[in-house]
Amino acid sequence: MIGGLFIYNHKGEVLISRVYRDDIGRNAVDAFRVNVIHARQQVRSPVTNIARTSFFHVKRSNIWLAAVTKQNVNAAMVFEFLYKMCDVMTAYFGKISEENIKNNFVLIYELLDEILDFGYPQNSETGALKTFITQTGIKSQSKEEQSQITSQVTGQIGWRREGIKYRRNELFLDVLESVNLLMSPQGQVLSAHVSGRVVMKSYLSGMPECKFGMNDKIVIDKQGKGGASEEAAAGKSGGGGGKQSIAIDDCTFHQCVRLSKFDAERSISFIPPDGECELMRYRTTKDIILPFRVIPLVREVGRTKLEVKVVIKSNFKPSLLAQKIEVRIPTPLNTSGVQVICMKGKAKYKASENAIVWKIKRMAGMKESQISAEIELLPTNDKKKWARPPISMNFEVPFAPSGLKVRYLKVFEPKLNYSDHDVIKWVRYIGRSGIYETRC
Amino acid sequence: MPAVSKGDGMRGLAVFISDIRNCKSKEAEIKRINKELANIRSKFKGDKALDGYSKKKYVCKLLFIFLLGHDIDFGHMEAVNLLSSNKYTEKQIGYLFISVLVNSNSELIRLINNAIKNDLSSRNPTFMCLALHCIANVGSREMAEAFAGEIPRILVAGDTMDSVKQSAALCLLRLYKASPDLVLMGEWTSRVVHLLNDQHMGVVTAAISLITCLSSKNPDEFKTCVSLAVSRLSRIVSSASTDLQDYTYYFVPAPWLSCKLLRLLQCYPPPEDGAVKGRLVECLETILNKAQEPPKSKKVQHSNAKNAILFEAISLIIHYDSEPNLLVRACNQLGQFLQHRETNLRYLALESMCTLASSEFSHEAVKTHIETVINALKTERDVSVRQRAADLLYAMCDRSNAKQIVAEMLSYLETADYSIREEMVLKVAILAEKYAVDYSWYVDTILNLIRIAGDYVSEEVWYRVIQIVINRDDVQGYAAKTVFEALQAPACHENMVKVGGYILGEFGNLIAGDPRSSPLVQFNLLHSKFHLCSVPTRALLLSAYIKFINLFPETKATIQEVLRSDSQIRNSDVELQQRAVEYLKLSSIASTDVLATVLEEMPPFPERESSILAKLKKKKGPGAVTVELEDGKERGELNGGGDRGGDAAIAASNASTPSPSADLLGLRSTAPVSGTTPSAGSLLVDVFSEAGPSATSAGVNDDGFLSALHAPEASDSPLVEGPGDSDSAPPTVASEDPAPPLPESDELLNKFVCKNNGVLFENQLLQIGIKSEYRQNLGRMYLFYGNKTSVQFVSFNTTVSCPGELQSQLNVQTKTVEPLVEGGAQVQQVINIECLTDFIDAPLLNIKFRYGGALQNISLKLPVTINKFFQPTEMAAADFFQRWKQLSQPQQEAQKIFKASHGMDTEVLKAKLLGLGTALLENVDPNPENYVCAGVIQTKAQQVGCLLRLEPNAQAQPGEQMYRLTLRSSKDTVSQRVCDLLAEQF
């Protein structure tokens, strides 16, 4: 279990230090600072073992969060907790920065007391936490209110309190995906996968029972055996790309989802927490729609010159618009000058990053654009050949590259008198680039 | 000049550095550096010429980036350009960059060398100095090659400035240290010596470092420096503190120079010239006198400088070791320091005194400080000082104060630091042994030692106490009694149990008369410790039990019961289980007289160098050797002189036995437990000294112990020397002609076919050990002739001859040996062998010497056989059979079918085949029972490939087991000879 948790600023000064177990001494704080933050070589691994003590760290802007343990813990659990911790802090005071942490240190200690007990993670649902950990100081609470909080936190549905009322019952669903790719110069896909999340923001009264449906292959196939005609129709109307179902490699759910029901009949039903929550996370590797294709062309002209031409092609419906496109073309370490010509967008040689950065604001589907650059090189006496790092790309597209479609989200609230039809539902798809690289 | 003021600033650099320092994170720093590197690259692109200032600035930035830990792969050219600048600052930065960044194999080295050459030949002293510093900083071989000739010329040239001379001297020193072969001595050497007379003290100081280094390599060339150094020293020592102005340091005239002069003199023996010597003694006396004077300053620098000279002077006095007067004075001076406030001084005093103690003149003087030193050992706070105090106590110990010192060290041991305990234990053990007049005292001391610091008592220490107890009849009873008493303590150290087990097992009968220590009581006492001990100790205890059965038949039932218990006979440890099973069988099957023979009391150990001493020597550096040499002399008093060399030979022979444990296994499986040979008693000794991995260090080795008990059944093992050969007295022919080879010499030859080291021959007078190594067609053989008597051998002479056609087949060169072999001593002879072509006979070794007037004449065959020149060849099965078929002509094959004269144990056979020199090929023969080997015999004339196949019929009854040996080689004589040789081995 987690033995302690430290938060450092960029200089390695300790901002927050909370120790849960006796096996973690004061010196652990310094050990991490010396061996990781101030390490001569940048530490890449998120897990560092120093003198039989394991340090798990995440970095948010200039802030280091480090969980420490001497035991053999589940590393994934620790990181999940650290991410959760970041989410909770963001929900409470916004951006995680040194100043914010210093201003809210009492709050953070209070939170740490609540969400970790003797190193075991507890309820870290922001909604639930906000009911009893507030920033506005002590608000006099009546006996009933207090007992209500207690019964909620210790009850079966710890993430939602009773008696929520909205005039308008509204529901927002965001399908956020990041697509990762590694492609060979000849256009062969070496590896590709999509990791996605379904984020739900709900403003619903009472204790609504929700049911979420998507074009999961297993479900579709199963239903296809039963009532094929109905589903086939639904499939046709939903799958704009022509793809009817997708194979999900693995997925995880928010704690509110009834896993037993998912295991038995693969249906996702739950009582959502009030406000925002991440309903599920999933990963797919098959039949990914790659939004962009990068075609590199690198030619070495003698020892002192390099010609680079990069073409990008957008590969989706022409009606859709991709945004925030950025192509990063690495330059050799002995670059002494760069001339760039591009038709669209802006391109610039950034010496501090050893790369040419080409930015395009918007680009419609089925289009093509190109950049060409002449790179002058300084002859060196180093025999090492340039390693040619891959060209990477960033973008945002308004569809899900995995092909995932939300088929339905039904809301039942038997006690209150609103039905599924009264709920206003919004669905949005956003596909972003993860590590999207093409070798050159 | 504006350029200069601009050069002082370098604002761009300052801004860059402050930017880097202000970076908040590593990533930001890397970004900033990347940006700067891109900027510099675009500047260096070569479109436009940069002025010197910018070039310098960018090179500086690159240097700074490099020092931050980033790779720099350009800018070298610009740095080299800076070298040819005329401005000091630019040149300096250029040289700085080059000495930090240019590696020796850079292509630019030629350009750099050229620039340096220009600077060296310029008349500007600053430039010359810069160039010299650069050479010294880089100090590579290329630099040495380019400038090793030039620098001495600059050094001795008349018109060179003093500052340049200084730099040149130090630069040359650096090059000499880096690549001594490139700095050639020449006529400049004599002129360098005369730099000692230079007016400028700085030049002298620099030159003397060079001379000290050079003269330590070629003392003769620089002999003249002694008188010059003495006169220089006397001038400094006698000068008033104000005379030397710049070179007076806190009222001490030229302390560094004085120290260096004194150190230089330590490279040479005392000057022979009386006048010079007188002057030197006078100097040393003045230095000693000055130490007595009240200090001229309270500053610590003053006393440090003064003491530095004093300590250097004292080491010179110790080095000369010829002036009793000075030695005693030095000793007294150090005595004062022993109680000084300053810890460093106490440390140095103790260290110097350690060396003084070994001088015969000052030994007594040192001894007077014993109380202070003991006090230091007890009260000193710094562990390093305590360590020195312990060293000094060890060094000053002699017969008169041994008891006191040993007692003090023992009492200190209880509180001593863990870091020095082991060494302390060794020292106590050595002193106790060396100065033991009374062996009961010795036994007491060592047992005490084990009691106090059991964990730090190394094996050697308790091996040694057992050796001594066994060799001394008079202490055996006492030792048994003391050990018995010591074991009664509720908690005793495992080492104590080991000693106890061994001694009671051997001499328990000596105290069995007393009802308080009756056999059963002894056994119960030992057995009460049994379960707390580690496996090796338990194994030893089991051996002690079986010895008990022999000593006290009345304990037999009890002990058999113990051996029979499941915890022994089914022990999970193989060693313990085997011992239990075998001892149980031995005790129930063998008759009492057989038991008595097998379990006879250990015979005395051959006298040898104290194993502990060897251990201590190994632990300490060569610094301790002076003391140890003396040990060697005095050791004789106790042990009546031993043959150290003999040990070495035996040790060497051990090295060759493939793996003692493997052999041990082999021995065990060869024959059932019953049956002994009459020679068991003497056999024990031999096995004892040869078996076991640590036989060099001690006799009491568990493995050895066990194999001793098993040896009788397995006298055929290559490990065991058959004393039957040597016990039959050799014919001593009283003639000057070489005697005919001994009848058993062929047998001896066969013994060495599969091994390279061992005892070649032994009779009552002489033991010949052999150690040999072969590489390709060359071989080297070391013969160790050990005189076993106490009388010296006169006109000892050995010759090696090659009879008949062997002369053209083998080239043998011998070095002559000393004609006198002292009693108990050992001499070594080296024989170089070259194999010209294949051969059959072995060279003859003839030894002639006079022992007590009678001429001894012994001839032996040297165990040089054709298989020694085998090079193992690994090959795959397909390969092997292909070659096997290629050698199919009848004369290429030799085959023999013969009876197995020894058991057919796989491991033994494998060891023998490997010993033959061939490669043993696994998984080649379809029948896994068969053995297949391949090798190439290397002779000067040709190489003879050789394939071997050995097929045993292991399933046959013992006694009918046969081998078929087939050899194929490209030469018929070789096949035949190797086949003959090998047939004798199985």
Side-chain angles (χ1 to χ4, degrees), chain A residues 10 40 333 335-336 352 381, chain B residues 24 26 34 41 45 73:
Chain A
H10 75 277
R40 200 160 294 168
L333 293 174
T335 302
S336 60
S352 59
N381 38 5
Chain B
K24 291 220 163 167
K26 197 109 196 165
N34 278 338
R41 279 196 298 262
K45 205 160 56 184
D73 52 5

Side-chain angles (χ1 to χ4, degrees), chain B residues 680-694:
Chain B
S682 55
L683 212 55
L684 287 177
V685 196
D686 251 334
V687 175
F688 222 104
S689 55
E690 291 228 344
S694 56

